[in-house]
Amino acid sequence: MSDDAVIVLAMLTFKNGLPREVRDFLPELVAKTRAEAGCIRYVPHLPSENDSKLYFHEEWENATALEKHAASEHLKKFRELAAPHLVDGKSDVTLWRAIA
């Protein structure tokens, strides 16, 4: 992993479980994202005990690659599908860097 790599941890909490339209769009979102230049890892996760949360673990070569992903049409569509169903209408996204 290079020093420029950016790790994204994103947690989405849904009001009433993972909506069908969001679940149905995930395979397309994942495939298109993994095909993007600079994408090292892009993995969505559901907790074992319920489906009200969706967690993404992402790794990008650098901030520029992440910025391009943030502006992609497939991520915009995902946000539009998810937003009305999110608690407080937003997701919790944090950026990290590896230190060892």
Side-chain angles (χ1 to χ4, degrees):
M1 178 183 326
S2 81
D3 291 340
D4 293 336
V6 178
I7 297 163
V8 178
L9 303 178
M11 179 72 73
L12 289 75
T13 304
F14 295 96
K15 298 172 189 171
N16 298 305
L18 185 65
R20 178 172 302 283
E21 60 268 30
V22 172
R23 183 184 297 269
D24 290 348
F25 186 67
L26 279 173
E28 181 178 340
L29 172 69
V30 170
K32 287 183 176 181
T33 299
R34 288 179 180 167
E36 289 180 52
C39 179
I40 298 168
R41 177 174 293 117
Y42 192 81
V43 183
H45 305 270
L46 284 173
S48 299
E49 67 276 2
N50 70 55
D51 68 350
S52 331
K53 294 185 183 290
L54 181 61
Y55 167 79
F56 285 89
H57 176 218
E58 307 173 30
E59 188 176 339
W60 296 90
E61 286 181 2
N62 52 48
T64 302
L66 177 57
E67 289 168 10
K68 288 180 181 178
H69 169 65
S72 69
E73 289 302 315
H74 48 277
L75 186 58
K76 288 179 187 177
K77 180 176 179 180
F78 177 78
R79 287 185 192 131
E80 290 171 5
L81 291 171
H85 305 284
L86 293 173
V87 172
D88 297 328
K90 60 182 180 178
S91 56
D92 179 24
V93 178
T94 55
L95 303 181
W96 300 73
R97 60 185 167 79
I99 58 171

